[in-house]
Amino acid sequence: MERKKILVVEDEVPIQELLRFNLERRNHRVEVVGTGEAALGAVGAFRPDLVLLDIMLPGTDGLEVCKQIKTNPETRRIPVIMLTALGEEADIVAGLELGADDYVTKPFSPRVLLARVKAALRRTEPAPQAGAEELLRIHNIAIDPARYKVAVDGREIALTSTEFKVLQLLAGQPGRVFTRYQIVDGVHGEDYPVTDRSVDVQIVGLRKKLGEAGHFVETVRGIGYRLREEEGE
Ligand code: CA
């Protein structure tokens, strides 16, 4: 993969070193800062291609840093991957809703972290099929937004329009976790309101209708849902 600039925001020195070592081994250019204030400065000065952001920081915390990155038009497109501890689901959900692109829980394996970094960087590349009306294929699922049709292994399945929109939203960014609120927001405009509880009901219906392919719609416990990314390049 092409050399990228990665800003690591982390106050614990052993984790800083682990991240630097692994990212530099992949040929990335790495800058490490230990506070939220320094992170906000470095986002402007270093102009990273991606930010790895610890949530629990002294002073300005990671959520505030994330918010500032994602509300500034100049920096909002920079992918942010949060580094969180187990049991911080509320922070993860808050971070995702502030615009964070992904999260990794500590302790993490370098392999998993690097895969998430790669996936987040890939998602920022302009999609070859940029048109919203174009056929979207993932795994054995084909989604035709223009006709509101979905086929699994070439066989058409009947989804409600809400199920269709949920699938289209998840499939638009495979591997990305969406919170229930983000799903509600994403399918907004339906003729009846979708609540976050009813998202669970939509997912159950969607999985059932997808049959074998239903397991690609994954539950991320305490956080939300995602469509599993395809393996390999
Ligand atoms: Ca910390």
Side-chain angles (χ1 to χ4, degrees):
M1 146 160 258
E2 190 193 333
R3 188 172 205 219
K4 297 286 187 184
K5 290 193 284 183
I6 299 185
L7 176 64
V8 170
V9 186
E10 169 62 64
D11 58 318
E12 288 167 67
V13 174
I15 301 176
Q16 288 179 350
E17 286 174 355
L18 178 73
L19 290 168
R20 182 191 284 282
F21 173 77
N22 282 285
L23 292 163
E24 286 182 346
R25 225 162 43 121
R26 294 293 171 104
N27 201 31
H28 294 306
R29 224 179 110 194
V30 179
E31 179 147 319
V32 177
V33 295
T35 66
E37 288 76 6
L40 291 169
V43 166
F46 179 57
R47 304 217 146 264
D49 296 301
L50 181 140
V51 180
L52 282 173
L53 180 61
D54 183 29
I55 295 300
M56 300 288 275
L57 293 167
T60 303
D61 72 5
L63 289 178
E64 180 58 30
V65 173
C66 179
K67 185 173 156 192
Q68 296 208 24
I69 292 173
K70 292 297 182 178
T71 50
N72 180 343
E74 305 231 321
T75 58
R76 65 190 310 160
R77 296 183 65 82
I78 302 171
V80 171
I81 300 179
M82 297 179 283
L83 301 173
T84 64
L86 266 180
E88 287 177 358
E89 280 82 5
D91 281 346
I92 295 168
V93 168
L96 291 172
E97 287 173 358
L98 288 170
D101 298 79
D102 202 353
Y103 68 93
V104 172
T105 44
K106 299 190 237 185
F108 50 81
S109 83
R111 191 181 60 80
V112 167
L113 181 100
L114 291 168
R116 299 295 185 78
V117 165
K118 192 173 168 186
L121 287 170
R122 196 192 306 130
R123 283 197 293 262
T124 63
E125 287 163 13
Q129 76 292 21
E133 297 294 283
E134 294 204 34
L135 197 67
L136 183 63
R137 287 179 189 281
I138 180 150
H139 305 289
N140 55 347
I141 308 168
I143 304 165
D144 184 348
R147 294 183 176 147
Y148 265 77
K149 283 186 175 168
V150 175
V152 177
D153 283 327
R155 261 195 305 271
E156 197 177 312
I157 56 167
L159 298 181
T160 66
S161 69
T162 304
E163 287 164 349
F164 182 90
K165 286 190 174 184
V166 172
L167 177 63
Q168 188 183 16
L169 177 73
L170 300 180
Q173 288 181 283
R176 179 173 185 156
V177 181
F178 289 85
T179 67
R180 288 176 175 79
Y181 174 78
Q182 288 175 317
I183 295 172
V184 171
D185 209 41
V187 303
H188 193 73
E190 279 304 281
D191 42 2
Y192 60 93
V194 183
T195 65
D196 43 342
R197 277 305 139 213
S198 78
V199 167
D200 298 342
V201 177
Q202 298 296 333
I203 293 280
V204 169
L206 178 59
R207 278 194 186 124
K208 200 168 164 188
K209 291 178 182 175
L210 288 171
E212 277 287 291
H215 72 279
F216 293 127
V217 180
E218 297 180 328
T219 301
V220 184
R221 193 196 292 240
I223 315 293
Y225 297 98
R226 73 172 158 229
L227 192 78
R228 193 195 302 167
E229 216 177 357
E230 288 184 294
E231 307 283 326
E233 291 308 292

